[in-house]
Structure formats: C-alpha cells, structure tokens
Amino acid sequence: MLKQMIALTALMVSSIAFAQDREYVIVVHGGAGAMAGLEEDPVKSAQYYAALDSALMIGDKVLSAGGEGPEAVMAVINYFEGNPLFNAGIGATCTAEGTFELDASIMEGKDLSAGAVAGLKHVKHPINAAYAVKTKSPHVMLSGAGAEEFAKEQGLEMVEDNMYFATPKTMEWIEKLKQESKKNGTVGCVVLDKQGNLTAGTSTGGMFKKRWGRIGDSPVIGAGTYADNNSCAVSCTGHGEYFIRHAVAFDVCARYKYLKESVEKAADYIIHTELNTNAGNGGLIAVDKLGNIAMPYNSGGMFRGFLYKEKGSPEIKKGCGIGKKIVVVGEK
Ligand code: ASP
C-alpha cells in the first residue's frame, strides 16, 4: 500500500547526476513508450510507482547486505518478470501469431562476461537463462529450441504451456490481433555494488506483433545491454531495430570512456540527438563507475526508478517516474 507520495524538486533530480561517494546504486526501468495520461491517472500510476519501488527495494536488500551486482539484477528482473504490468515474463507482449517469444541478457562490468537468450517460449524467467548462458556455457547468446534445451539441462523452471505468459489483456489482443495495440514495459536494471562492480540486465517480450523469429536489441550485448567497470552499465528500452543499428548501450560507454563525457551527457546525446522520436523511440538507464545516474527517454514516458546510498550515511535516496515527475513512494 502506498502511504506517501512526495513530488521531488527539480534540484533533487539534477543532483543525481553528481555523485559524491556512493556506496551502492541501483537504477531500474519498466519500459518506454507513449503512456498518454498514465502519470495523471492516480490509480493506474500508483500501481506502477509501487511496482517500481518494490523492484528498487528488492535490489536494495541484496546490495545493502553486500550482495553482488548480478544477484541484485537477477532478483529485480525476476520480480518484474513475475509482474503482469510489464512486458517481460508473464505479461509479455505477443507475436503476430499470438504466441510469446522472450529475450533477455545480462553483463558484468568487472570481466565483460555476458549471457543472452532469444526467442524463449517455455522458460519462466528468461533472465535466469541468460545468466546460465553467461556462467555455465562457453557462449554469449543462445536462441530458440537450443536455448530452451540448455535451460532445461540447467534445471531452470520451465512452463509447459506458452500461454502461461498471457494475461487477460494480452488474451484480448490475441483475439483481435488485427487491431493495432502495443504494450510498453521491457524491464531493465543496472547496478553499482559495494564492491565497485557494474552489472546490467534487460528482459522483454519484444515488440508487439513481431514476426519471423524477430530478435530486438534487449538480448544483443552492446545494443540493449552493456556493462564495463571502466565506464558504465546500461540497459535500454524502445524500438529495438534502431537501438541495434546505433549500438546504443555500447555507445554510451564508448562516449564516456573515449570522449570523457559524463554519463548524463553521453546518454542524453544518444537518446535525444543520435536517436529521435521518429526514428528510435525509447530510452535507457545508466550508472557510471562513480555512481552517477542517467535515465533519458525521447518517448512520452518511461517507467523508471533509482535508489542509492552515500558512504557514511544510513539513509537511502530513491525516486520513481513515469513521465516528467519523480515521486518517492514510502511508508509514513
Ligand atoms: N527494445 C525491445 C525490443 O525491441 C522492446 C521495448 O523495449 O519496448 O524488443
């Protein structure tokens, strides 16, 4: 239950761009898109704020206890994949055939190790399969039937019926597939842990009515997900074809590393200049090696949230947003 929602000042929003000495940081997204009127709808927006806040608190629990980035990213994305509000796991958007094909990826900045899966139909938590590819296989990306066989061998939870991922809402779309409708809500999480390591993860059902085994940016390392301890951890959401063409996640890290831009400047440039609302609708979340955060989007909105703790302070600072406003959800 939400007991309190406080709109923060612009000062607080800009202050997240200049980290002093951050013990740990977590940033999440739940997808970018049009989202007309959602921020103004008190009932619907409260559901999203609460879900984003729950995700942040799940990450906080892991990181505050000294847990490492991948554990936090997996815990957060497992939560999102189980929440029908988002386009990942249960609640994923459907293909033109009215089925579900899920993609996910995870990357660690300390050694550039990465794992990705594409076109999964029966793995309950695609992010766990991506992590298994990273840690238990010599490969970076597995797709389709082979990826599922691997996941099964690894003992991951499988669902027999692909319709497990359906919700009453997606069932409506499947019934009227001719009708244009979309679902935003790819999920992502980037973390700077207490050990100083960066991790990024992303999970999605992809784009509505996708065809022919289409794979978007989310499982593509360098496009939808990237992490490098020398620069940043990045997770993207939006029109995947453009994010692949512009290698968006890697480009943020490259601008930071080679041009010495701040994470905020690098991320803003890519989202607002390199991409634009007509060609490359979407956004990203990023945290750099010092704990600075960026969360730009060029779409109508982006579900997003951040949480961090300064060294030597017992308090955590956090906020969530859908459109321009950032709110804090908390107990009285
Ligand atoms: N980027 C995802 C894809 O293209 C979709 C999204 O983020 O909404 O598959």
Side-chain angles (χ1 to χ4, degrees):
M1 255 326 257
L2 305 184
K3 297 233 175 98
Q4 191 186 14
M5 269 189 202
I6 309 160
L8 293 186
T9 60
L11 188 67
M12 164 117 194
V13 179
S14 63
S15 74
I16 63 177
F18 305 103
Q20 295 305 311
D21 208 2
R22 289 186 182 163
E23 196 173 322
Y24 60 86
V25 179
I26 176 161
V27 193
V28 299
H29 74 72
M35 297 174 196
L38 188 54
E39 192 181 39
E40 293 74 37
D41 181 324
V43 177
K44 280 195 189 155
S45 64
Q47 282 185 320
Y48 282 97
Y49 290 135
L52 291 165
D53 189 66
S54 298
L56 291 172
M57 296 315 289
I58 286 167
D60 180 64
K61 201 169 162 199
V62 176
L63 296 174
S64 61
E68 295 191 12
E71 196 191 330
V73 167
M74 304 262 291
V76 166
I77 295 187
N78 267 262
Y79 165 74
F80 278 134
E81 287 175 342
N83 187 328
L85 284 176
F86 301 97
N87 174 16
I90 191 159
T93 197
C94 58
T95 66
E97 288 73 36
T99 59
F100 301 94
E101 294 183 4
L102 312 177
D103 306 332
S105 64
I106 186 162
M107 183 167 187
E108 279 195 73
K110 68 175 179 208
D111 55 5
L112 305 184
S113 62
V117 285
L120 297 184
K121 293 181 178 162
H122 302 99
V123 180
K124 191 168 182 182
H125 287 288
I127 194 71
N128 296 353
Y131 186 70
V133 172
K134 184 180 97 66
T135 50
K136 304 273 178 53
S137 90
H139 306 299
V140 169
M141 188 191 278
L142 297 179
S143 71
E148 299 217 318
E149 202 179 310
F150 170 76
K152 221 185 276 175
E153 267 175 24
Q154 295 303 318
L156 297 187
E157 207 173 336
M158 307 295 286
V159 294
E160 216 169 289
D161 187 354
N162 184 241
M163 285 299 130
Y164 161 83
F165 298 106
T167 61
K169 182 131 200 113
T170 44
M171 285 310 288
E172 266 174 46
W173 299 344
I174 291 170
E175 257 136 55
K176 315 179 212 157
L177 253 181
K178 292 271 170 317
Q179 173 192 304
E180 274 306 312
S181 177
K182 282 185 192 160
K183 178 164 181 174
N184 312 119
T186 290
V187 302
C189 177
V190 296
V191 156
L192 171 68
D193 63 22
K194 282 189 184 181
Q195 294 74 17
N197 292 315
L198 293 169
T199 310
T202 312
S203 181
T204 188
M207 301 268 281
F208 179 60
K209 278 170 71 170
K210 62 185 182 181
R211 302 209 63 195
W212 307 300
R214 178 262 188 194
I215 296 169
D217 61 313
S218 308
V220 177
I221 299 300
T225 304
Y226 202 76
D228 176 357
N229 272 11
N230 290 313
S231 51
C232 313
V234 184
S235 170
C236 302
T237 173
H239 195 149
E241 279 68 12
Y242 293 94
F243 281 70
I244 293 173
R245 287 176 188 138
H246 291 269
V248 169
F250 178 74
D251 212 33
V252 174
C253 296
R255 296 187 74 85
Y256 182 95
K257 193 165 152 182
Y258 302 121
L259 297 181
K260 313 280 180 219
E261 288 184 352
S262 68
V263 63
E264 213 191 13
K265 192 171 175 200
D268 274 351
Y269 174 79
I270 287 153
I271 293 299
H272 297 298
T273 306
E274 191 86 0
L275 303 173
N276 62 59
T277 44
N278 300 317
N281 194 278
L284 63 82
I285 53 170
V287 58
D288 74 6
K289 58 186 180 182
L290 304 173
N292 296 298
I293 293 166
M295 309 185 290
Y297 57 92
N298 62 22
S299 43
M302 179 170 79
F303 300 119
R304 63 201 187 283
F306 67 88
L307 179 152
Y308 62 84
K309 185 172 168 298
E310 307 283 8
K311 282 185 186 150
S313 159
E315 266 177 73
I316 54 165
K317 301 231 169 82
K318 61 178 184 169
C320 303
I322 295 172
K324 286 207 176 92
K325 200 164 67 178
I326 296 285
V327 305
V328 177
V329 179
E331 300 286 307
K332 265 210 177 115

